[in-house]
Amino acid sequence: MKTKMVSHAAPLDKIMSNSPDSVSTQQLNQGWSIKQRNKNVDVLDDLRDGWSSVTSLPSEIHAELTKSGAIPDFNKGFNEHQVQWIADQEWIYFTTFSHSAEEGFHTDLHLEGLDTYCTVYVNGEKLLEADNMLLPYVVTLPPSLLKSSNSLVLHFRSSREIAKQLEAKYGKKRAGSCNLGDPSRVYVRKAQYHWRWDWGPELMTVGPWRPITLKSYKVVIDELQAFARVSESLESSLEACVTLKGSKESIKSVQFSLRDSREEIIREENVQVPESTSDSSHQISWELGNDKVKLWWPIKYGEQALYTFEAKLIGKNGGLLDIQTQKIGFRRVKLIQEPLEDAEGTTFLFEINGIRIFMGGSNWIPADTVLTNISEKRYKALLQTMVDGNQNMIRVWSGGIYEPQVFYDTCDELGILVWQDMCGFACGVYPAHESYVSQVTAEVTANIKLLCHHPSIVIWCGNNEDYQQVLQWGGISELPARKFYEDIFPSLVSKLTKDDVPYWFGSPYGGSKWYETADQTVGDVHEWHVWCNSPSGEFYQNYDLLAGRFISEFGLPSYPDPRTVEFWLDGAPESQRYPQSPIMAQHCKAGSFERRFANYMNENFRVTGDLESYAYLTQIMQSEGLGWAYRTWRRQWKGPGRQYTAGVLVWQLNDSWPVTSWALVDYFLRKKPAYYTVARELREHTVGIMRKVQKNSDNDRPRQFYEFGAFQNISSTIEIWVTNSTLESVEEATLEVEFYDLQTSTVYHRLSKDIHLLPNQTTEILEINIPNPREPANNRIVARDLTHTVVVNARLSDRHGKIAAYEASNWPEPFKYLQFPDPQLK
């Protein structure tokens, strides 16, 4: 049982359950109406008629119009194009709320998310001009303005129109390719993917997308900041601060407490608030050592120990005035960049509580185009797929949003590490004029404060691919937003997290020049030579040659589950049911996808025009490509001094609508084959096999391919390695290898090897020639290698049951040449 530790500086005050001076909160989530604004009259003169009811807040215009049947579901067919008019209109939300005036009380209106340009009126008085979707607002309402019944009007203007106005004022900027939305987006502090991305539709959302509440108080806890610290020697401490707002005359004390998951008190302290004080901030600092609290660990490395930290505001009469809580965890994170023993550059790896961990995971995009459609259940289900798929890190991509607390709470609970991009900086030359700097600084400050208590967040990153575009697109000599990435952001992260979490300028980033992002020996890279960055696309079989120190993006797209395709087909006639049909193009936003799919599909599989077969083969292509990348990049985690690659994050985990994309899990949470392949490659113990086919001449084919054209196959070899991500060695393991000939349907050769696996690294096992399954029919031909019909299977086991049996197979490539034996099914 834990020891109860209480500060002896002041006895704890007895708390009454109720106090007439307590904070009261009113959720303004019902009784709302919406209408399209008549631009020919003043906003406040346009409130008489034409209203439609809103089901509840939070709310978004497209969602409301879809529910009422006013517009079709944009997720189906070509309906995206039928709803574009909405973005050019202005929209009004209206409700009323009651208010009981009490002497000495203040009233604040909390608007947690307004998308995006919104004028707020209370009882006809303009109180706020909001211009930032990513910034929560608080407006103090003048007592003289409030009545027993009050009106609240939200007037939303067109973000698309204002973006073009700002572009005309400040100049046109470069913002990625034509598949990433209109470049004017860089001027607007709104989720950038709403302008269109290469996996999502153009849908300029509008509305109060996060809760609106009314808070009345004499005095209130304005902020609670808790900093769980862990020293180099893994001793824990806690620093915390509450900031008060309002009239302090009624306060007696602030009570702090820390409780574990069983509600047992670890420590508590009472901080007296003198009547004469003008100080609005009150702090505690506790040393907890290494036995009072447990450390928080990532999934598979230990317990996700979480604690409830609570601050109570106690009145002079002993009544509870206000209370705030945060779930916290104690962990130490370091980003290690150190020289390697026998390679250029430096590592880029994460150390948690003194343990260096290989990161295998995904990139996260917003889980819906309309953010109000995402339920807590959906957030939890998507993140659970990561745990079920053996992933340990998620990167929250910059073109989306700072996700709601349920996202980070779930990551804390599941042990998923979070790479957090600063949002609203994705693939663009962003401005840095004075008003924009003020906007962004307030936004980032607010969001770091909201999120910094989460133990799952282990890095903050300045942007997505903004540095990269200097070389990728050309014609860019400077990035004004370096002011953010290299000055403002690192300063804010350092100050607001108390140097608890590392900061990284951008993703990707690293090299000898300020704009360099493709150096494979330092920093992180986005590996898009496969699929994107060359006219025909690099062979995915060459992923192993494209390794970096940390691959924070890479991927291959595929069709989603057939049921998802049927959803967007929406009863389309047979004439639309083929891979190159217009409706299939509508639901694939990737640039040059026709030629890129054609290259990879023709190289690896037999050509087909059948939709079901084609869709399935795209999934197999994605599965094989991603599996090879994870397998060979994880091979580069070779122990101290040789941790050449320390992390792999696939683009992307999820979808925002029904689409052909890079996702592992589609819009309806249906898992693609690649999901299971990645899960297999990220198990604690895995086997990797690489086949190399030697030909009679230099050639332009992948090393794994057998050649039946201009070149001849001379011999083939396999390399086998085993990974062990646990912190325990495996002393008595066995690797069994079988060679199966498809032509004769026989296992014609076997071998077995006793092996010893070192902890937390890869162990190279063997490299041998694949024996020929038979002699060639004609000994005079040049090519004597007949292993193009041989499947190699390796099985890993151990005598003491420390590891689950694992099997890996290596098939001859390309798959289009395979001749399968007759299974004799009837």
Side-chain angles (χ1 to χ4, degrees):
M1 186 172 178
K2 295 190 179 295
T3 303
K4 181 176 180 179
M5 299 180 63
V6 181
S7 168
H8 298 290
L12 291 179
D13 293 316
K14 183 178 179 181
I15 302 174
M16 294 170 53
S17 58
N18 296 308
S19 170
D21 294 339
S22 295
V23 173
S24 65
T25 301
Q26 181 181 353
Q27 299 287 337
L28 303 185
N29 56 5
Q30 301 293 328
W32 285 87
S33 300
I34 55 169
K35 66 174 296 184
Q36 182 179 337
R37 185 208 163 186
N38 180 354
K39 296 181 183 180
N40 295 320
V41 299
D42 185 86
V43 171
L44 298 180
D45 292 332
D46 192 25
L47 306 180
R48 296 182 181 85
D49 52 25
W51 295 99
S52 299
S53 62
V54 173
T55 51
S56 66
L57 240 64
S59 171
E60 193 282 325
I61 289 294
H62 294 81
E64 300 297 341
L65 296 179
T66 302
K67 290 174 190 173
S68 69
I71 61 172
D73 185 348
F74 70 87
N75 289 307
K76 296 182 176 181
F78 298 97
N79 292 341
E80 174 193 351
H81 306 294
Q82 307 306 314
V83 300
Q84 291 304 308
W85 61 272
I86 294 170
D88 299 318
Q89 307 306 311
E90 298 182 10
W91 300 89
I92 303 174
Y93 278 76
F94 175 85
T95 194
T96 59
F97 63 90
S98 59
H99 176 71
S100 176
E102 297 184 56
E103 186 176 353
F105 272 76
H106 313 276
T107 302
D108 286 353
L109 182 64
H110 290 251
L111 306 118
E112 295 183 31
L114 299 172
D115 183 9
T116 293
Y117 290 94
C118 179
T119 306
V120 179
Y121 300 88
V122 173
N123 294 334
E125 291 291 325
K126 183 192 296 186
L127 296 183
L128 175 67
E129 288 277 8
D131 58 4
N132 192 328
M133 176 186 179
L134 305 174
L135 174 67
Y137 292 91
V138 179
V139 179
T140 299
L141 305 181
S144 59
L145 179 63
L146 294 171
K147 302 178 289 187
S148 58
S149 180
N150 304 273
S151 66
L152 174 59
V153 174
L154 309 178
H155 167 215
F156 289 93
R157 292 176 291 149
S158 168
S159 293
R160 184 154 68 190
E161 180 180 318
I162 293 173
K164 298 306 287 185
Q165 293 171 359
L166 292 169
E167 182 182 67
K169 178 179 180 180
Y170 292 106
K172 189 170 184 176
K173 301 288 188 181
R174 187 67 189 263
S177 71
C178 60
N179 302 295
L180 308 184
D182 191 271
S184 62
R185 63 180 170 82
V186 300
Y187 288 108
V188 178
R189 301 309 299 158
K190 174 177 172 58
Q192 298 288 276
Y193 81 108
H194 284 154
W195 267 267
R196 185 176 67 253
W197 222 259
D198 55 5
W199 37 258
E202 181 175 350
L203 204 80
M204 300 296 289
T205 56
V206 179
W209 69 289
R210 281 187 168 166
I212 297 177
T213 57
L214 203 65
K215 187 173 284 190
S216 296
Y217 59 92
K218 279 190 173 180
V219 63
V220 67
I221 298 175
D222 192 40
E223 285 184 1
L224 171 62
Q225 296 288 289
F227 302 96
R229 317 303 294 273
V230 177
S231 69
E232 193 86 39
S233 59
L234 302 186
E235 294 192 333
S236 299
S237 61
L238 178 65
E239 296 177 22
C241 174
V242 294
T243 304
L244 307 181
K245 181 180 179 182
S247 307
K248 302 178 184 65
E249 291 81 3
S250 60
I251 309 171
K252 182 178 183 182
S253 64
V254 182
Q255 286 189 5
F256 297 94
S257 65
L258 182 68
R259 303 191 306 274
D260 64 17
S261 59
R262 296 173 296 177
E263 294 299 309
E264 292 186 8
I265 295 175
I266 308 301
R267 183 161 180 173
E268 54 189 10
E269 183 173 338
N270 196 67
V271 177
Q272 298 293 321
V273 180
E275 287 188 31
S276 59
T277 185
S278 60
D279 193 355
S280 62
S281 296
H282 304 276
Q283 299 85 24
I284 55 99
S285 180
W286 295 342
E287 296 295 330
L288 300 170
N290 56 17
D291 59 346
K292 301 301 185 295
V293 294
K294 299 177 182 178
L295 295 180
W296 182 95
W297 289 92
I299 184 71
K300 296 189 177 179
Y301 286 87
E303 182 183 348
Q304 289 74 57
L306 293 172
Y307 296 85
T308 301
F309 181 70
E310 184 176 79
K312 293 178 179 177
L313 195 55
I314 310 302
K316 288 183 177 177
N317 63 355
L320 178 63
L321 303 179
D322 196 13
I323 183 171
Q324 281 199 24
T325 62
Q326 287 182 352
K327 286 281 189 182
I328 63 173
F330 294 84
R331 60 95 184 91
R332 180 180 179 83
V333 57
K334 291 178 70 177
L335 177 60
I336 306 293
Q337 299 178 81
E338 64 185 15
L340 292 150
E341 285 182 0
D342 52 2
E344 293 182 13
T346 55
T347 61
F348 189 97
L349 63 87
F350 289 90
E351 183 182 278
I352 310 296
N353 301 333
I355 303 298
R356 297 182 175 196
I357 298 175
F358 182 89
M359 300 300 163
S362 297
N363 284 265
W364 171 277
I365 66 170
D368 206 294
T369 310
V370 175
L371 292 162
T372 56
N373 286 343
I374 313 172
S375 65
E376 288 195 5
K377 181 179 179 181
R378 191 165 161 196
Y379 272 116
K380 292 179 179 180
L382 272 167
L383 291 169
Q384 185 64 46
T385 65
M386 293 193 65
V387 173
D388 296 342
N390 299 317
Q391 300 185 42
N392 63 8
M393 177 175 270
I394 190 80
R395 173 178 172 240
V396 180
W397 170 70
S398 180
I401 59 168
Y402 299 98
E403 294 292 343
Q405 292 292 346
V406 64
F407 176 93
Y408 303 96
D409 288 341
T410 305
C411 289
D412 292 344
E413 293 162 7
L414 296 177
I416 300 170
L417 300 172
V418 177
W419 172 310
Q420 178 66 54
D421 280 1
M422 299 298 184
C423 291
F425 291 92
C427 304
V429 179
Y430 286 85
H433 51 268
E434 186 176 352
S435 61
Y436 195 82
V437 169
S438 298
Q439 268 188 307
V440 171
T441 302
E443 165 202 318
V444 171
T445 298
N447 283 287
I448 294 176
K449 285 183 175 181
L450 283 170
L451 300 179
C452 66
H453 65 281
H454 290 283
S456 55
I457 298 178
V458 294
I459 189 170
W460 290 84
C461 178
N463 67 82
N464 174 80
E465 296 185 356
D466 289 358
Y467 288 103
Q468 175 177 298
Q469 64 193 324
V470 174
L471 290 177
Q472 183 174 1
W473 303 115
I476 300 171
S477 59
E478 187 54 89
L479 299 177
R482 288 177 68 190
K483 181 180 181 71
F484 295 117
Y485 313 149
E486 300 172 21
D487 180 13
I488 295 174
F489 291 170
S491 176
L492 288 174
V493 170
S494 173
K495 174 185 175 183
L496 298 175
T497 72
K498 293 185 178 289
D499 292 316
D500 183 59
V501 180
Y503 171 82
W504 190 240
F505 284 173
S507 182
Y509 184 82
S512 59
K513 299 182 176 65
W514 68 265
Y515 52 79
E516 215 167 312
T517 57
D519 189 335
Q520 294 173 285
T521 69
V522 294
D524 71 316
V525 297
H526 289 187
E527 183 37 68
W528 287 111
H529 288 91
V530 176
W531 184 261
C532 282
N533 285 358
S534 58
S536 60
E538 179 62 86
F539 298 106
Y540 69 70
Q541 288 83 358
N542 287 340
Y543 265 134
D544 61 307
L545 304 177
L546 303 171
R549 299 294 177 239
F550 195 105
I551 298 93
S552 46
E553 274 192 28
F554 80 104
L556 281 167
S558 77
Y559 272 65
D561 186 280
R563 292 167 291 177
T564 302
V565 177
E566 280 297 328
F567 176 87
W568 81 55
L569 281 169
D570 193 28
E574 195 64 31
S575 61
Q576 286 288 307
R577 295 172 181 266
Y578 64 97
Q580 295 168 297
S581 72
I583 200 168
M584 295 301 164
Q586 164 65 14
H587 287 264
C588 183
K589 303 295 186 180
S592 302
F593 68 90
E594 301 94 341
R595 64 173 57 188
R596 289 168 176 167
F597 266 129
N599 282 335
Y600 290 105
M601 296 291 282
N602 290 347
E603 284 165 354
N604 292 281
F605 307 105
R606 299 177 189 178
V607 176
T608 178
D610 174 69
L611 177 58
E612 183 177 0
S613 299
Y614 182 87
Y616 176 69
L617 288 175
T618 68
Q619 294 179 347
I620 299 304
M621 177 197 74
Q622 181 192 41
S623 174
E624 288 294 316
L626 301 192
W628 181 243
Y630 274 96
R631 192 177 310 132
T632 57
W633 289 338
R634 194 178 177 195
R635 183 185 188 182
Q636 299 305 310
W637 182 254
K638 295 192 174 185
R642 302 172 67 227
Q643 291 152 331
Y644 308 115
T645 297
V648 182
L649 308 180
V650 71
W651 185 271
Q652 63 212 58
L653 176 69
N654 58 311
D655 276 330
S656 66
W657 78 314
V659 65
T660 293
S661 81
W662 295 265
L664 300 180
V665 182
D666 76 19
Y667 179 70
F668 295 107
L669 276 63
R670 294 163 180 154
K671 302 177 181 74
K672 300 180 185 180
Y675 168 84
Y676 298 100
T677 299
V678 171
R680 185 179 70 236
E681 297 302 336
L682 290 177
R683 285 175 57 172
E684 290 180 327
H685 303 93
T686 67
V687 179
I689 308 173
M690 181 173 188
R691 183 184 309 223
K692 295 179 181 178
V693 180
Q694 289 72 47
K695 305 174 183 71
N696 64 336
S697 177
D698 292 339
N699 59 89
D700 58 358
R701 311 298 288 157
R703 295 150 296 159
Q704 300 92 325
F705 274 19
Y706 288 91
E707 178 61 38
F708 298 95
F711 308 104
Q712 302 295 314
N713 309 311
I714 300 300
S715 63
S716 57
T717 60
I718 56 166
E719 300 168 6
I720 300 182
W721 62 93
V722 177
T723 60
N724 175 16
S725 64
T726 74
L727 304 182
E728 295 184 9
S729 62
V730 181
E731 304 291 342
E732 298 181 5
T734 301
L735 184 73
E736 300 170 280
V737 185
E738 293 183 339
F739 299 83
Y740 178 86
D741 181 21
L742 290 169
Q743 183 166 314
T744 60
S745 300
T746 58
V747 175
Y748 70 95
H749 186 69
R750 289 184 174 90
L751 63 87
S752 179
K753 185 177 177 66
D754 293 330
I755 59 176
H756 170 72
L757 304 182
L758 295 172
N760 199 18
Q761 67 182 73
T762 295
T763 302
E764 298 290 332
I765 304 300
L766 59 82
E767 180 179 357
I768 60 170
N769 287 320
I770 302 176
N772 257 335
R774 56 197 176 279
E775 287 298 318
N778 184 346
N779 290 334
R780 290 178 296 175
I781 63 173
V782 175
R784 302 183 62 85
D785 185 80
L786 299 178
T787 61
H788 63 276
T789 62
V790 174
V791 179
V792 181
N793 189 74
R795 185 177 187 272
L796 176 68
S797 61
D798 80 301
R799 192 172 303 174
H800 303 291
K802 282 188 176 181
I803 59 179
Y806 184 95
E807 289 197 35
S809 294
N810 177 277
W811 287 68
E813 296 182 75
F815 300 131
K816 62 187 177 184
Y817 293 141
L818 290 176
Q819 300 289 332
F820 295 98
D822 183 1
Q824 298 183 346
L825 297 176
K826 295 182 180 179

